[in-house]
Amino acid sequence: EAVIKEIELRTPYKVVDRSRADTLIKATITRVDQVRLNRRHTGGLPQEQELRVRLDFAWQDLRTGRTLRERSGFEAVGRYIPAQPVAEPYQVGQHQASQRLAQQIVTVIGAQW
């Protein structure tokens, strides 16, 4: 979803159903890590967490079968604060990381446009 929004926001192209598409972007999440950045002095509960998401992707021309761009090891980070009073859920970090990955992917494939 984040990649679709980035493509439609930053390029003149539209994302369509695969049966009508000229190209295809495939991505595989290869790793998700959660790291505690710091913790509360009292009780040791996590104060701030970092979510790291790594993926590999390929952009393929469906007409020729040729791979237009391919990258491995793309990584992005999202942070969130699970501790009170903020009490952000895991999804806050997940959203940040996915937005950053989408921006990076569109930047890389945008070099072809």
Side-chain angles (χ1 to χ4, degrees), residues 40 47 81-88:
R40 289 186 171 207
Q47 178 71 28
I81 301 170
Q84 294 293 339
V86 179
E88 291 177 323

Side-chain angles (χ1 to χ4, degrees), residues 2 7-8 11 26 32-35 41 45-46 50 53 57 63 68-69 75-76 78 82-84 97 106-107 110:
I7 288 171
E8 293 187 348
T11 75
K26 290 183 183 179
V32 177
D33 293 315
Q34 190 167 234
V35 178
H41 295 295
L45 295 174
E50 184 173 84
V53 180
F57 83 89
R63 297 165 295 185
L68 303 171
R69 291 274 194 230
E75 187 172 280
Q84 294 293 339
V106 172
T107 296

Side-chain angles (χ1 to χ4, degrees), residues 57-72:
F57 83 89
W59 183 33
Q60 183 179 26
D61 185 324
L62 293 175
R63 297 165 295 185
T64 65
R66 189 177 77 136
T67 299
L68 303 171
R69 291 274 194 230
E70 188 171 26
R71 295 289 188 274
S72 297

Side-chain angles (χ1 to χ4, degrees), residues 66-104:
R66 189 177 77 136
T67 299
L68 303 171
R69 291 274 194 230
E70 188 171 26
R71 295 289 188 274
S72 297
F74 256 56
E75 187 172 280
V77 172
R79 291 186 176 171
Y80 65 103
I81 301 170
Q84 294 293 339
V86 179
E88 291 177 323
Y90 173 85
Q91 289 83 3
V92 170
Q94 187 179 35
H95 178 76
Q96 287 178 5
S98 66
Q99 294 300 312
R100 289 179 179 137
L101 282 168
Q103 291 167 354
Q104 291 176 28

